[in-house]
Amino acid sequence: MAENVNGKLFSEFAPNTMQEWLDKVTADLKGADFNKKLVWRTNEGFNVQPMYRLENMADLKNLDCFPGAYPFVRGNKKDNNDWFVRQDIPVEDFAEANKKALDVLNKGVDSLGFVFTGCREVTKADMETLLKDICLECIEINFVGECKKCGLLNAFKAVVEERGLDPEKIRGGINIDPLTNLTLKGKICCENPFASVKNNTEKMAAYKNFKTIEVGGYVFNNSGASIVQELGFSLAAGVEYLDKLTDAGMKIEEVAPRIRFHFATGSKYFMEIAKLRAARYLWAHIVKAYQPACDCACKMNIHAETSEWNKTVYDPNVNMLRTQTETMSATLGGVDSFLVHPYDDIFECTPSELGERVARNQQLLLKEESHFSKIVDVAGGSYYIEELTENIAEAGRPVDIEEAEQKASEDVVAQREEALAKQLHEMRRRKQRLVDPLQFEMSIQAEDLTGYTPAFGWEMGPPSDAQKSTLEKLGILPDQIESAGKAKLLLDRLGARREAGLTTPKQIRQLEQRGFQHVGAWTFESANKLINRIAANGWKTPRGIDPSTYQGE
């Protein structure tokens, strides 16, 4: 034992190839299909294998790149994985919002998001009240507004200049994003939105670390989009801003660094880590195509938040578990700032103090106790995550919005046509094996059924599901029965006919399809004997029987 103390662990065992592992798994499956049993087809459109080995890495790109280096798949920073812990604060009263901001800053938050509702104009005095005693150079400051965002920027800039602060030390951003507004509301509030984006970006040119353009990828996530869809549409929006602003005369170095991507992270733990790595990789290549003077312009700034799509109101404590794994995915994936929504945010108008405290601490525990902020790209080198990153990057390239809209329209039409065809086929199939109520009524010569008119309120309502199901089992097509009263009368008549030994709807259908008349007046036995004779004759009417005159035995 002492002789092998410096030897490699398991060196006496021969290495196994991927094929040997697959052969072993196939044998253990005992004939079951490997792909159907173990290969996962994701919503993102690619397959995930049950295991990955070093051999799978042979054709992957970017395995030799370093953190902080182009194409930034391993993160924007080379010596740490720090991020801003953000908390959003609704602004209804400026003094109260300031009081809450100072309180949460003392509880570990280092990024504030002031959320303005409505379209009120914010003055310099309002902004002074809001930012009183807040050290703007020490934290990240963000504004989320519905409109009047230009006024917000003017007021903020005036306060910064009055305090004599260095603009380059101001970090944060504002959600100027007309494309997200268009996505959510189908319209843009100003006539020339990209001119407004350009003016605000140029106005804040000295504020190098303040993002004046936002790409709202979270909208797609919170609407149920897959990871690939979220990436594709977000990158397409980012490209649109680059195109419009560079066409308007701005340099790529002036535009790309001022864009912040705002994603949401869902519950697909490893997939979400890979999403952020793939997003940086794709954005770096997109910006590189505009030929910036420095690769640093190719960095993607990412703010993310926990997804709203998968949260529950019925067992809200489960939301804490979901937001925790989502926070882990986002921070391991290398976000620049992150917001955890309180577990009760989904159903409370104002989240509880406990909910906000838990949300803050979920990030602080990962940062201060689990040291997630200390190590760059923890996921780097994982066979599984590297493969996911590559697959997402291949599938998540920017989407041509007009092409996607056209394809979506075509898909909807095709789906409707397919659904209609299936519906028509099902209707024909059911009509072939069921008797139309009117045919049944005429066959049994039931004038009370044919001329039925509902008299009471309950009779006028539509037939119940139970009535429809019973009628169909008895051979009646229920689609043409308009009222519950008519359905009850039919069911009563069917029950009485069964007790009297008369023909069933199915017998009526089979015989009257062959030309026999008023089969409803025959006995069950008489119809059954004739059907047996027809069946014995290869489903042909026996010789000597004239359907138009035959009255049964």
Side-chain angles (χ1 to χ4, degrees):
M1 193 73 178
E3 295 175 0
N4 296 326
V5 70
N6 294 320
K8 289 186 177 181
L9 192 63
F10 301 131
S11 58
E12 64 270 29
F13 296 100
N16 297 110
T17 66
M18 184 66 170
Q19 189 57 51
E20 287 174 320
W21 277 108
L22 291 176
D23 291 342
K24 175 60 177 171
V25 171
T26 302
D28 289 345
L29 286 174
K30 298 178 181 178
D33 187 280
F34 177 87
N35 289 325
K36 290 183 178 179
K37 204 75 173 175
L38 298 178
V39 176
W40 169 33
R41 182 68 178 179
T42 68
N43 290 335
E44 285 64 34
F46 54 82
N47 292 336
V48 173
Q49 299 297 324
M51 59 180 174
Y52 291 95
R53 287 166 51 88
L54 183 59
E55 300 98 286
N56 299 108
M57 304 297 104
D59 298 325
L60 296 187
K61 309 167 188 174
N62 306 311
L63 292 181
D64 296 329
C65 70
F66 294 96
Y70 180 88
F72 308 105
V73 66
R74 301 197 63 193
N76 294 336
K77 310 178 190 74
K78 63 180 180 180
D79 54 2
N80 68 76
N81 186 45
D82 204 5
W83 72 92
F84 287 104
V85 177
R86 176 166 159 176
Q87 180 168 337
D88 281 358
I89 300 171
V91 180
E92 296 177 358
D93 179 276
F94 290 95
E96 286 299 315
N98 170 260
K99 181 180 177 182
K100 183 168 184 177
L102 292 171
D103 180 54
V104 299
L105 287 172
N106 287 324
K107 294 177 179 177
V109 167
D110 55 8
S111 174
L112 296 173
F114 289 112
V115 181
F116 298 83
T117 55
C119 288
R120 61 178 171 177
E121 196 73 50
V122 177
T123 66
K124 177 174 174 286
D126 293 332
M127 190 62 69
E128 286 176 339
T129 303
L130 184 64
L131 302 179
K132 182 182 178 182
D133 297 329
I134 295 176
C135 180
L136 300 180
E137 295 172 301
C138 302
I139 65 165
E140 185 185 66
I141 194 85
N142 303 280
F143 301 103
V144 180
E146 292 183 4
C147 57
K148 307 286 186 182
K149 297 174 188 178
C150 183
L152 264 175
L153 277 183
N154 291 335
F156 176 64
K157 186 179 179 184
V159 170
V160 172
E161 290 175 351
E162 185 178 80
R163 292 188 184 183
L165 303 177
D166 182 356
E168 292 196 15
K169 292 184 178 180
I170 303 299
R171 293 165 295 183
I174 186 169
N175 69 325
I176 297 176
D177 185 10
L179 292 180
T180 290
N181 195 69
L182 178 64
T183 302
L184 289 173
K185 300 179 180 179
K187 62 180 180 180
I188 296 178
C189 56
C190 55
E191 292 183 4
N192 196 344
F194 294 103
S196 176
V197 174
K198 179 177 182 289
N199 292 337
N200 285 316
T201 302
E202 290 176 335
K203 180 188 351 182
M204 301 295 286
Y207 294 70
K208 304 293 185 184
N209 297 304
F210 192 87
K211 311 302 178 184
T212 54
I213 307 167
E214 180 172 286
V215 175
Y218 70 98
V219 170
F220 303 107
N221 183 293
N222 289 333
S223 299
S226 70
I227 282 173
V228 164
Q229 290 168 335
E230 181 184 4
L231 272 189
F233 286 114
S234 299
L235 292 171
V239 170
E240 187 74 2
Y241 286 124
L242 293 182
D243 285 345
K244 295 295 185 183
L245 296 178
T246 53
D247 288 346
M250 296 186 73
K251 296 179 180 179
I252 187 65
E253 296 86 359
E254 296 172 326
V255 180
R258 314 309 294 276
I259 296 177
R260 174 162 64 189
F261 283 81
H262 183 173
F263 292 121
T265 51
S267 53
K268 295 180 180 177
Y269 183 73
F270 295 108
M271 197 83 76
E272 290 289 349
I273 296 173
K275 175 183 80 175
L276 298 173
R277 302 174 88 243
R280 285 192 298 270
Y281 167 80
L282 289 171
W283 183 245
H285 281 280
I286 288 170
V287 177
K288 188 75 168 177
Y290 290 80
Q291 300 179 344
C294 175
D295 283 346
C296 59
C298 301
K299 293 181 179 179
M300 173 187 266
N301 184 275
I302 300 175
H303 169 65
E305 62 180 44
T306 52
S307 177
E308 297 175 1
W309 179 252
N310 61 351
K311 300 307 179 288
T312 175
V313 300
Y314 299 108
D315 192 1
N317 290 337
V318 171
N319 293 337
M320 288 190 243
L321 302 175
R322 292 175 179 169
T323 53
Q324 188 62 59
T325 60
E326 291 163 7
T327 306
M328 291 174 69
S329 296
T331 53
L332 291 176
V335 293
D336 297 285
S337 60
F338 195 70
L339 168 69
V340 178
H341 288 293
Y343 73 95
D344 53 358
D345 184 50
I346 199 72
F347 58 88
E348 294 286 2
C349 295
T350 303
S352 65
E353 186 176 334
L354 174 63
E356 291 186 341
R357 178 186 176 189
V358 170
R360 285 191 301 269
N361 289 343
Q362 284 179 288
Q363 293 197 66
L364 295 175
L365 286 170
L366 294 179
K367 180 180 277 195
E368 305 298 338
E369 296 189 23
S370 300
H371 306 296
F372 276 29
S373 61
K374 304 296 184 185
I375 303 173
V376 182
D377 192 29
V378 174
S382 160
Y383 301 155
Y384 179 41
I385 294 177
E386 293 288 3
E387 183 78 19
L388 287 180
T389 302
E390 179 88 1
N391 288 336
I392 292 173
E394 286 297 320
R397 296 186 181 278
V399 176
D400 185 302
I401 302 295
E402 292 181 1
E403 182 182 326
E405 189 179 61
Q406 176 64 27
K407 186 176 185 304
S409 177
E410 292 172 356
D411 287 346
V412 168
V413 172
Q415 288 170 7
R416 285 178 178 172
E417 288 179 348
E418 183 182 357
L420 182 58
K422 287 181 178 178
Q423 187 177 358
L424 289 172
H425 174 74
E426 176 62 18
M427 287 173 64
R428 291 192 190 101
R429 187 184 67 83
R430 292 174 72 230
K431 282 189 175 182
Q432 286 173 358
R433 63 183 180 84
L434 299 175
V435 177
D436 186 281
L438 182 58
Q439 178 190 354
F440 175 71
E441 293 160 15
M442 293 178 66
S443 180
I444 66 173
Q445 300 177 2
E447 294 181 3
D448 59 328
L449 285 171
T450 307
Y452 173 79
T453 301
F456 300 101
W458 70 268
E459 294 178 337
M460 298 177 186
S464 67
D465 291 340
Q467 285 178 321
K468 290 180 179 179
S469 177
T470 305
L471 285 167
E472 188 159 338
K473 286 178 182 177
L474 295 175
I476 297 290
L477 182 67
D479 301 5
Q480 307 300 322
I481 301 172
E482 298 178 351
S483 67
K486 178 70 171 285
K488 182 179 183 304
L489 196 59
L490 261 173
L491 288 170
D492 290 344
R493 182 60 53 84
L494 287 166
R497 286 180 61 81
R498 184 171 58 249
E499 291 180 4
L502 298 174
T503 47
T504 66
K506 292 179 181 179
Q507 289 175 324
I508 293 172
R509 175 183 60 81
Q510 284 185 321
L511 293 173
E512 292 195 353
Q513 278 181 347
R514 290 173 168 79
F516 292 91
Q517 305 294 314
H518 304 300
V519 179
W522 298 8
T523 65
F524 175 87
E525 288 299 329
S526 177
N528 197 47
K529 286 179 181 179
L530 181 57
I531 290 171
N532 288 337
R533 288 182 64 187
I534 293 172
N537 196 42
W539 292 105
K540 295 178 182 178
T541 304
R543 290 183 181 181
I545 293 181
D546 182 0
S548 63
T549 59
Y550 187 81
Q551 296 297 318
E553 296 181 4

